[in-house]
Amino acid sequence: MRARSLRLRLFLVILPPLFLVSILLGWWRFEVAQRTSEELFDRSLLSAALAISRDVAISEGDALSPSTRQVISDAGGGELFYHVTGPGGIYVTGYAYPPRPEVPIARNMPFYYFADYRGEEMRVLRMIENRTIGTLTGDAVVTVWQRVSDRRAFAQALAFRAAALMAGLMAALALIIWFGVQIGLRPLNDLQAAIRQRSPEELGPIRRPVPQEVSGIVSTLNRLLGQVQDSFEAHQAFISDAAHQLRNPAAAILALAETLPSVQDPAERATCEEQLVDVARKSARLAEQLLSLERLRYDNSTATEPFDLNTVVEDVCRTFATKALARDLEFTLAPTEEPLPVLGNPILVGEALINLLENALKHGGEGMTAISVGTSADEESVMVTVEDDGVGIPQDKVGTAFRRFSQLENGEGTGLGLAIVEKVMVRHAGRVDIMPTEVGTTFCLRFPRATHA
């Protein structure tokens, strides 16, 4: 399923709330228009009633002045009806049979109410005042009314204008958001184009200025590019070192293979064959360790399982004992009585232990007489200790000992053993330590204790 574009996402996030706000504003504007029209029309009714009352008093009921007729004709844009009675209820002027209120009204105060007039709903204003018309003095009643439909039409017109204005603003705002987001995302598009133009070998950091909101993404990408570049350089260095290391045994094998057909003496020929097999075995061991190191570095799919560390250590020592005895070395194993639970890959752990033992065998020196292996545990960790009484490793060269293809002195090793040990321990969330001793070398492999074995 294809994800929505960032532009569309921002559009959908911004516009719906604004649309909801516009609906609320439209409803509020309609209510305001209703109240405004009622106030305006009520005031127009009052103005018309006061003008009619004044003219009746001045003209003594004869006729309305032109100015008052103008007020009546322009009142709110709708037709206005009126009715006037003088003292004693005598008809003075206006339309016949005005709508009457259902309750008594107060004197000298305008009274508004709704009523039906000829089948239509009307808004009515009735006002009672004491007037003298001719020779008569008494209550004069002025009634002015207007269709409610005219009021509603006026309110609807106001609301429609507001709605049209709101719709126009929303449409303009939608266009502004749509194209504004596109303009705002232009730095991202430029960044994408710049990254697309890079060659596969160009892994330097991105230095293009970007908005603050995406600076974190660029920083993360730069960090990833730096890690990729470091990994690429390390891989290239590993290939170069591996080619250099494999060149020597390959050259030796080739030289021995070319010399062997010309050797006639049986004893010399047997010696050459033995040397050829020994060099081939070392070359195979080097290739095997190279593959192990790369697998530990890049392959994270190695299956893990709970196992007893003592069992792995015993199996490895049983296999290694033959080599130790062939060198006339004292080889001892001191495991703990209780199981040592570890979560990991027993094959990799065994390979790490084999590398430590072979490292002691190859670099312990002629004066080495013993190699011992022991296991122990505390509350959080389980340990394997490999100790020899050989030449040892100076403290200032401990870091060099774990580098690939590095040897403290010329010997039979490949320079990969301790590097493989360190990778195995990192894979198992543990560590390898070189313990300070007065004689020889002591390595300690420390594993986290598993809950269940």
Side-chain angles (χ1 to χ4, degrees):
M1 183 177 178
R2 186 178 180 182
R4 295 175 179 172
S5 66
L6 184 58
R7 181 184 185 186
L8 182 59
R9 286 173 181 265
L10 292 175
F11 185 79
L12 294 178
V13 167
I14 297 174
L15 196 60
L18 293 178
F19 181 72
L20 179 61
V21 171
S22 68
I23 293 177
L24 296 176
L25 288 177
W27 175 80
W28 172 80
R29 189 66 187 88
F30 178 77
E31 294 294 325
V32 171
Q34 288 278 19
R35 292 195 297 268
T36 301
S37 64
E38 290 176 3
E39 293 176 0
L40 290 176
F41 277 79
D42 285 349
R43 290 177 182 177
S44 67
L45 288 179
L46 180 60
S47 299
L50 292 175
I52 293 172
S53 176
R54 182 202 62 180
D55 282 9
V56 168
I58 293 176
S59 64
E60 296 182 352
D62 288 345
L64 300 181
S65 65
S67 60
T68 301
R69 293 181 181 277
Q70 183 70 27
V71 170
I72 294 174
S73 62
D74 291 342
E79 185 178 4
L80 192 144
F81 307 90
Y82 63 95
H83 178 86
V84 181
T85 58
I90 300 174
Y91 172 78
V92 177
T93 184
Y95 295 83
Y97 308 109
R100 299 182 178 276
E102 297 180 357
V103 296
I105 65 174
R107 294 168 51 86
N108 300 322
M109 292 291 295
F111 180 75
Y112 294 93
Y113 59 95
F114 291 97
D116 288 336
Y117 180 74
R118 297 179 181 178
E120 294 184 276
E121 186 179 9
M122 299 289 178
R123 177 67 167 173
V124 186
L125 168 63
R126 173 164 288 201
M127 190 170 57
I128 301 176
E129 293 181 311
N130 187 271
R131 294 288 184 185
T132 299
I133 301 177
T135 60
L136 298 176
T137 300
D139 290 338
V141 181
V142 178
T143 306
V144 184
W145 64 97
Q146 195 173 35
R147 295 184 182 89
V148 173
S149 59
D150 293 339
R151 294 175 167 228
R152 290 175 179 170
F154 180 75
Q156 290 175 357
L158 290 178
F160 178 77
R161 293 191 189 100
L165 178 61
M166 195 72 66
L169 289 176
M170 286 299 299
L173 187 59
L175 292 175
I176 292 174
I177 292 174
W178 182 256
F179 292 103
V181 169
Q182 179 66 18
I183 295 174
L185 294 177
R186 186 172 296 170
L188 291 181
N189 296 330
D190 295 341
L191 178 62
Q192 179 186 5
I195 295 175
R196 188 187 297 116
Q197 293 174 359
R198 285 192 166 204
S199 63
E201 294 79 15
E202 191 176 357
L203 298 176
I206 300 171
R207 305 189 183 280
R208 177 179 294 269
V210 294
Q212 183 179 1
E213 290 76 8
V214 296
S215 59
I217 298 177
V218 175
S219 299
T220 303
L221 185 58
N222 284 337
R223 185 167 60 254
L224 178 61
L225 288 174
Q227 292 173 351
V228 171
Q229 186 172 14
D230 293 342
S231 177
F232 181 76
E233 291 175 353
H235 192 64
Q236 291 294 103
F238 177 80
I239 293 175
S240 177
D241 293 341
H244 176 73
Q245 294 294 326
L246 287 172
R247 181 180 60 186
N248 294 332
I253 292 174
L254 180 61
L256 288 172
E258 290 177 347
T259 303
L260 189 62
S262 62
V263 177
Q264 301 298 326
D265 182 62
E268 186 178 355
R269 185 180 182 88
T271 302
C272 289
E273 290 176 350
E274 184 179 350
Q275 292 177 351
L276 180 60
V277 171
D278 185 54
V279 173
R281 186 180 291 112
K282 291 180 180 179
S283 179
R285 177 60 177 166
L286 176 59
E288 181 182 349
Q289 288 188 317
L290 287 173
L291 291 176
S292 297
L293 193 60
E294 285 300 277
R295 184 172 66 251
L296 287 170
R297 182 175 180 181
Y298 295 106
D299 184 12
N300 294 321
S301 61
T302 306
T304 59
E305 60 185 46
F307 63 92
D308 182 10
L309 184 61
N310 279 331
T311 302
V312 174
V313 172
E314 290 173 359
D315 292 341
V316 171
C317 290
R318 189 178 297 110
T319 303
F320 182 78
T322 304
K323 296 182 180 180
L325 294 176
R327 285 276 302 270
D328 196 21
L329 298 175
E330 181 183 351
F331 182 64
T332 59
L333 171 62
T336 60
E337 295 182 358
E338 70 278 3
L340 300 179
V342 173
L343 180 63
N345 186 285
I347 297 177
L348 294 180
V349 173
E351 186 173 353
L353 182 56
I354 289 174
N355 277 280
L356 283 183
L357 292 172
E358 290 189 349
N359 184 78
L361 196 63
K362 294 174 181 178
H363 302 290
E366 295 295 335
M368 184 176 67
T369 62
I371 299 176
S372 62
V373 179
T375 61
S376 59
D378 56 26
E379 295 182 356
E380 298 180 354
S381 306
V382 296
M383 288 81 73
V384 179
T385 304
V386 177
E387 184 177 359
D388 65 68
D389 59 352
V391 296
I393 300 177
Q395 288 296 321
D396 58 342
K397 295 184 178 181
V398 170
T400 305
F402 287 97
R403 295 177 188 171
R404 293 176 307 185
F405 305 113
S406 63
Q407 296 185 23
L408 302 184
E409 58 183 29
N410 294 331
E412 300 178 356
T414 62
L416 294 176
L418 294 183
I420 292 176
V421 173
E422 187 176 40
K423 291 293 184 182
V424 170
M425 297 309 298
V426 170
R427 176 68 61 87
H428 288 78
R431 70 175 190 268
V432 53
D433 297 322
I434 299 180
M435 311 301 293
T437 58
E438 295 181 359
V439 179
T441 306
T442 301
F443 286 93
C444 179
L445 304 182
R446 184 180 295 270
F447 298 87
R449 178 188 287 271
T451 304
H452 301 285

